[in-house]
Short mmCIF file of all heavy atoms in Angstrom, two decimals:
data_model
loop_
_atom_site.label_atom_id
_atom_site.label_comp_id
_atom_site.label_asym_id
_atom_site.label_seq_id
_atom_site.Cartn_x
_atom_site.Cartn_y
_atom_site.Cartn_z
N LEU A 153 3.74 -10.73 23.73
CA LEU A 153 2.43 -9.92 23.92
C LEU A 153 1.35 -10.41 23.00
O LEU A 153 0.20 -10.77 23.39
CB LEU A 153 2.70 -8.40 23.63
CG LEU A 153 1.44 -7.62 23.35
CD1 LEU A 153 0.60 -7.45 24.68
CD2 LEU A 153 1.84 -6.18 22.91
N THR A 156 0.06 -13.82 24.02
CA THR A 156 -0.92 -13.65 25.19
C THR A 156 -2.19 -13.12 24.73
O THR A 156 -3.29 -13.72 25.15
CB THR A 156 -0.22 -12.68 26.22
OG1 THR A 156 1.03 -13.15 26.54
CG2 THR A 156 -1.20 -12.55 27.38
N LEU A 157 -2.20 -12.22 23.82
CA LEU A 157 -3.54 -11.62 23.31
C LEU A 157 -4.33 -12.69 22.56
O LEU A 157 -5.51 -12.81 22.71
CB LEU A 157 -3.30 -10.46 22.51
CG LEU A 157 -2.67 -9.22 23.15
CD1 LEU A 157 -2.61 -7.99 22.24
CD2 LEU A 157 -3.41 -8.94 24.47
N ARG A 160 -5.88 -15.08 24.90
CA ARG A 160 -7.02 -14.63 25.76
C ARG A 160 -8.19 -14.18 24.84
O ARG A 160 -9.42 -14.38 25.29
CB ARG A 160 -6.57 -13.38 26.56
CG ARG A 160 -5.83 -13.65 27.83
CD ARG A 160 -6.68 -14.29 28.84
NE ARG A 160 -6.04 -14.32 30.10
CZ ARG A 160 -6.53 -13.75 31.30
NH1 ARG A 160 -7.75 -13.10 31.10
NH2 ARG A 160 -5.99 -13.81 32.41
N LEU A 161 -7.93 -13.70 23.72
CA LEU A 161 -9.00 -13.04 22.80
C LEU A 161 -9.30 -13.86 21.63
O LEU A 161 -10.29 -13.61 20.93
CB LEU A 161 -8.57 -11.60 22.43
CG LEU A 161 -8.32 -10.65 23.48
CD1 LEU A 161 -7.78 -9.32 22.90
CD2 LEU A 161 -9.46 -10.40 24.35
N ALA A 242 -11.92 0.04 25.00
CA ALA A 242 -10.77 -0.68 24.69
C ALA A 242 -10.78 -2.18 25.11
O ALA A 242 -11.35 -2.49 26.10
CB ALA A 242 -9.50 -0.03 25.41
N ASP A 243 -10.26 -2.99 24.25
CA ASP A 243 -10.17 -4.51 24.58
C ASP A 243 -8.83 -4.77 25.27
O ASP A 243 -8.79 -5.73 26.04
CB ASP A 243 -10.29 -5.31 23.23
CG ASP A 243 -11.67 -5.13 22.62
OD1 ASP A 243 -12.64 -5.53 23.22
OD2 ASP A 243 -11.70 -4.48 21.50
N VAL A 244 -7.81 -3.97 24.96
CA VAL A 244 -6.53 -4.09 25.61
C VAL A 244 -5.95 -2.77 25.93
O VAL A 244 -6.00 -1.86 25.13
CB VAL A 244 -5.56 -4.88 24.64
CG1 VAL A 244 -4.27 -5.09 25.33
CG2 VAL A 244 -6.19 -6.13 24.19
N VAL A 245 -5.39 -2.71 27.17
CA VAL A 245 -4.61 -1.49 27.53
C VAL A 245 -3.21 -1.92 27.79
O VAL A 245 -2.94 -2.76 28.69
CB VAL A 245 -5.18 -0.82 28.72
CG1 VAL A 245 -4.20 0.35 29.13
CG2 VAL A 245 -6.57 -0.30 28.42
N TYR A 246 -2.26 -1.38 27.00
CA TYR A 246 -0.90 -1.74 27.16
C TYR A 246 -0.13 -0.51 27.66
O TYR A 246 -0.06 0.41 26.87
CB TYR A 246 -0.30 -2.34 25.88
CG TYR A 246 0.99 -3.08 26.06
CD1 TYR A 246 1.01 -4.30 26.69
CD2 TYR A 246 2.22 -2.72 25.46
CE1 TYR A 246 2.10 -5.03 26.83
CE2 TYR A 246 3.41 -3.46 25.62
CZ TYR A 246 3.41 -4.56 26.34
OH TYR A 246 4.55 -5.38 26.49
N VAL A 274 -2.44 4.14 34.91
CA VAL A 274 -3.55 3.25 34.59
C VAL A 274 -4.32 2.87 35.93
O VAL A 274 -3.65 2.27 36.78
CB VAL A 274 -3.10 1.93 33.90
CG1 VAL A 274 -4.27 1.03 33.56
CG2 VAL A 274 -2.24 2.27 32.68
N ASP A 275 -5.54 3.27 36.07
CA ASP A 275 -6.27 3.03 37.32
C ASP A 275 -7.65 2.46 37.01
O ASP A 275 -8.05 2.37 35.84
CB ASP A 275 -6.39 4.33 38.16
CG ASP A 275 -7.07 5.49 37.35
OD1 ASP A 275 -7.87 5.27 36.44
OD2 ASP A 275 -6.77 6.69 37.69
N ALA A 276 -8.33 2.15 38.07
CA ALA A 276 -9.63 1.42 37.93
C ALA A 276 -10.65 2.29 37.32
O ALA A 276 -11.51 1.78 36.46
CB ALA A 276 -10.10 0.97 39.26
N LYS A 278 -10.20 4.57 34.88
CA LYS A 278 -9.96 4.52 33.38
C LYS A 278 -10.37 3.08 32.85
O LYS A 278 -10.95 2.98 31.81
CB LYS A 278 -8.49 4.78 33.08
CG LYS A 278 -8.08 6.21 33.45
CD LYS A 278 -6.62 6.55 32.90
CE LYS A 278 -6.14 7.74 33.46
NZ LYS A 278 -5.86 7.87 34.92
N MET A 279 -9.88 2.04 33.55
CA MET A 279 -10.19 0.71 33.13
C MET A 279 -11.75 0.49 33.02
O MET A 279 -12.19 -0.37 32.22
CB MET A 279 -9.46 -0.33 33.94
CG MET A 279 -8.00 -0.35 33.79
SD MET A 279 -7.42 -0.67 32.09
CE MET A 279 -7.97 -2.34 31.85
N ALA A 280 -12.52 1.12 33.84
CA ALA A 280 -13.96 0.93 33.86
C ALA A 280 -14.56 1.44 32.51
O ALA A 280 -15.66 1.05 32.19
CB ALA A 280 -14.57 1.67 35.03
N LEU A 281 -13.83 2.18 31.87
CA LEU A 281 -14.31 2.77 30.49
C LEU A 281 -14.06 1.72 29.36
O LEU A 281 -14.65 1.88 28.36
CB LEU A 281 -13.61 4.04 30.18
CG LEU A 281 -13.77 5.18 31.13
CD1 LEU A 281 -12.78 6.38 30.69
CD2 LEU A 281 -15.18 5.74 31.16
N THR A 282 -13.29 0.73 29.63
CA THR A 282 -12.96 -0.28 28.65
C THR A 282 -14.10 -1.30 28.42
O THR A 282 -14.99 -1.36 29.24
CB THR A 282 -11.62 -0.92 28.91
OG1 THR A 282 -11.82 -1.90 30.06
CG2 THR A 282 -10.58 0.02 29.29
N ASN A 283 -13.85 -2.13 27.47
CA ASN A 283 -14.69 -3.28 27.18
C ASN A 283 -14.27 -4.45 27.92
O ASN A 283 -13.79 -5.47 27.41
CB ASN A 283 -14.72 -3.54 25.69
CG ASN A 283 -15.70 -4.74 25.27
OD1 ASN A 283 -16.64 -4.91 25.98
ND2 ASN A 283 -15.27 -5.46 24.27
N ASN A 284 -14.27 -4.28 29.33
CA ASN A 284 -13.75 -5.36 30.17
C ASN A 284 -12.37 -5.68 29.71
O ASN A 284 -11.91 -6.81 29.61
CB ASN A 284 -14.53 -6.62 30.21
CG ASN A 284 -14.26 -7.62 31.26
OD1 ASN A 284 -13.88 -7.24 32.35
ND2 ASN A 284 -14.34 -8.90 31.09
N GLY A 285 -11.58 -4.61 29.50
CA GLY A 285 -10.30 -4.75 28.79
C GLY A 285 -9.23 -5.44 29.63
O GLY A 285 -9.18 -5.43 30.85
N LEU A 286 -8.25 -6.20 28.85
CA LEU A 286 -7.11 -6.73 29.49
C LEU A 286 -6.12 -5.59 29.72
O LEU A 286 -6.04 -4.65 29.00
CB LEU A 286 -6.50 -7.76 28.53
CG LEU A 286 -7.37 -8.94 28.16
CD1 LEU A 286 -6.63 -9.78 27.08
CD2 LEU A 286 -7.79 -9.72 29.30
N PHE A 287 -5.22 -5.81 30.79
CA PHE A 287 -4.15 -4.92 31.00
C PHE A 287 -2.88 -5.60 30.96
O PHE A 287 -2.64 -6.71 31.62
CB PHE A 287 -4.25 -4.22 32.43
CG PHE A 287 -3.04 -3.54 32.85
CD1 PHE A 287 -2.71 -2.18 32.34
CD2 PHE A 287 -2.11 -4.08 33.73
CE1 PHE A 287 -1.45 -1.60 32.61
CE2 PHE A 287 -0.93 -3.48 33.97
CZ PHE A 287 -0.61 -2.20 33.52
N SER A 288 -1.83 -5.00 30.38
CA SER A 288 -0.54 -5.67 30.41
C SER A 288 0.60 -4.64 30.37
O SER A 288 0.37 -3.54 30.12
CB SER A 288 -0.33 -6.65 29.22
OG SER A 288 0.69 -7.58 29.51
N HIS A 289 1.79 -5.16 30.59
CA HIS A 289 3.00 -4.28 30.70
C HIS A 289 4.20 -5.27 30.53
O HIS A 289 4.08 -6.53 30.74
CB HIS A 289 3.07 -3.69 32.07
CG HIS A 289 4.16 -2.65 32.14
ND1 HIS A 289 5.49 -3.09 32.35
CD2 HIS A 289 4.23 -1.30 32.14
CE1 HIS A 289 6.24 -1.88 32.45
NE2 HIS A 289 5.53 -0.83 32.30
N MET A 293 7.86 -3.11 36.28
CA MET A 293 6.60 -2.18 36.31
C MET A 293 6.54 -1.53 37.65
O MET A 293 6.53 -2.28 38.66
CB MET A 293 5.37 -3.00 36.04
CG MET A 293 4.07 -2.23 36.18
SD MET A 293 2.68 -3.39 35.81
CE MET A 293 2.70 -4.28 37.40
N VAL A 299 0.80 2.02 37.21
CA VAL A 299 -0.46 1.35 37.42
C VAL A 299 -0.78 1.20 38.84
O VAL A 299 0.18 0.90 39.64
CB VAL A 299 -0.45 -0.09 36.64
CG1 VAL A 299 0.62 -0.91 37.15
CG2 VAL A 299 -1.77 -0.65 36.73
N THR A 300 -2.12 1.26 39.17
CA THR A 300 -2.37 1.07 40.60
C THR A 300 -2.45 -0.32 40.87
O THR A 300 -2.56 -1.23 39.99
CB THR A 300 -3.79 1.74 40.82
OG1 THR A 300 -4.77 0.99 40.00
CG2 THR A 300 -3.77 3.25 40.56
N ASP A 301 -2.32 -0.61 42.25
CA ASP A 301 -2.41 -1.99 42.61
C ASP A 301 -3.73 -2.66 42.24
O ASP A 301 -3.75 -3.85 41.94
CB ASP A 301 -2.36 -2.09 44.22
CG ASP A 301 -0.89 -1.82 44.75
OD1 ASP A 301 0.10 -2.10 43.96
OD2 ASP A 301 -0.71 -1.42 45.78
N ALA A 302 -4.80 -1.88 42.32
CA ALA A 302 -6.14 -2.48 42.01
C ALA A 302 -6.18 -3.07 40.57
O ALA A 302 -6.70 -4.08 40.31
CB ALA A 302 -7.25 -1.42 42.20
N VAL A 303 -5.50 -2.40 39.63
CA VAL A 303 -5.53 -2.93 38.24
C VAL A 303 -4.49 -3.98 38.19
O VAL A 303 -4.73 -5.03 37.48
CB VAL A 303 -5.18 -1.75 37.30
CG1 VAL A 303 -4.95 -2.21 35.85
CG2 VAL A 303 -6.24 -0.64 37.31
N ALA A 304 -3.24 -3.79 38.74
CA ALA A 304 -2.24 -4.79 38.56
C ALA A 304 -2.68 -6.14 39.17
O ALA A 304 -2.25 -7.27 38.69
CB ALA A 304 -1.00 -4.24 39.25
N ASP A 305 -3.44 -6.10 40.20
CA ASP A 305 -3.87 -7.36 40.90
C ASP A 305 -5.25 -7.87 40.42
O ASP A 305 -5.72 -8.77 40.93
CB ASP A 305 -3.92 -7.16 42.42
CG ASP A 305 -2.46 -6.82 42.94
OD1 ASP A 305 -1.55 -7.38 42.36
OD2 ASP A 305 -2.32 -6.09 43.96
N SER A 306 -5.80 -7.31 39.34
CA SER A 306 -7.09 -7.68 38.91
C SER A 306 -7.06 -8.90 37.94
O SER A 306 -5.98 -9.16 37.44
CB SER A 306 -7.73 -6.52 38.13
OG SER A 306 -7.14 -6.43 36.84
N PRO A 307 -8.11 -9.58 37.84
CA PRO A 307 -8.10 -10.82 36.99
C PRO A 307 -7.82 -10.50 35.49
O PRO A 307 -7.41 -11.34 34.73
CB PRO A 307 -9.49 -11.39 37.11
CG PRO A 307 -10.06 -10.76 38.28
CD PRO A 307 -9.39 -9.45 38.54
N ASN A 308 -7.93 -9.26 35.13
CA ASN A 308 -7.73 -8.89 33.76
C ASN A 308 -6.30 -8.42 33.49
O ASN A 308 -5.99 -8.16 32.33
CB ASN A 308 -8.65 -7.66 33.38
CG ASN A 308 -10.09 -8.10 33.14
OD1 ASN A 308 -10.48 -9.10 33.68
ND2 ASN A 308 -10.77 -7.38 32.37
N ALA A 309 -5.48 -8.45 34.47
CA ALA A 309 -4.08 -8.20 34.26
C ALA A 309 -3.45 -9.41 33.74
O ALA A 309 -3.36 -10.48 34.42
CB ALA A 309 -3.37 -7.75 35.53
N VAL A 310 -2.68 -9.37 32.66
CA VAL A 310 -2.05 -10.46 32.02
C VAL A 310 -0.58 -10.34 31.77
O VAL A 310 0.05 -11.11 30.95
CB VAL A 310 -2.77 -10.75 30.60
CG1 VAL A 310 -4.20 -11.12 30.79
CG2 VAL A 310 -2.58 -9.59 29.66
N PHE A 311 0.09 -9.47 32.55
CA PHE A 311 1.54 -9.25 32.34
C PHE A 311 2.31 -10.43 32.78
O PHE A 311 3.44 -10.74 32.26
CB PHE A 311 1.93 -8.02 33.04
CG PHE A 311 1.55 -7.84 34.43
CD1 PHE A 311 2.28 -8.50 35.44
CD2 PHE A 311 0.49 -6.98 34.84
CE1 PHE A 311 1.94 -8.28 36.81
CE2 PHE A 311 0.08 -6.83 36.17
CZ PHE A 311 0.77 -7.46 37.11
N ILE A 312 1.88 -11.17 33.80
CA ILE A 312 2.62 -12.48 34.05
C ILE A 312 2.50 -13.47 32.92
O ILE A 312 3.59 -14.15 32.71
CB ILE A 312 2.07 -12.99 35.40
CG1 ILE A 312 2.20 -12.02 36.56
CG2 ILE A 312 2.77 -14.35 35.80
CD1 ILE A 312 3.71 -11.67 36.85
N GLU A 313 1.39 -13.65 32.36
CA GLU A 313 1.21 -14.52 31.19
C GLU A 313 2.15 -14.01 30.03
O GLU A 313 2.75 -14.93 29.40
CB GLU A 313 -0.26 -14.54 30.78
CG GLU A 313 -1.24 -15.09 31.78
CD GLU A 313 -2.62 -14.86 31.35
OE1 GLU A 313 -2.97 -15.08 30.17
OE2 GLU A 313 -3.47 -14.59 32.21
N GLU A 314 2.15 -12.72 29.85
CA GLU A 314 3.03 -12.16 28.79
C GLU A 314 4.58 -12.54 29.03
O GLU A 314 5.21 -12.96 28.21
CB GLU A 314 2.85 -10.68 28.58
CG GLU A 314 3.75 -10.08 27.56
CD GLU A 314 3.47 -8.59 27.29
OE1 GLU A 314 2.53 -8.15 27.72
OE2 GLU A 314 4.44 -7.93 26.90
#
Side-chain angles (χ1 to χ4, degrees):
L153 167 62
T156 304
L157 296 185
R160 282 290 193 123
L161 301 175
D243 298 292
V244 182
V245 174
Y246 198 66
V274 183
D275 57 25
K278 296 186 187 72
M279 291 300 295
L281 300 172
T282 71
N283 181 30
N284 195 32
L286 302 176
F287 167 78
S288 200
H289 188 281
M293 178 182 74
V299 57
T300 62
D301 284 336
V303 174
D305 295 330
S306 74
N308 285 24
V310 296
F311 50 81
I312 298 298
E313 294 170 44
E314 180 180 335

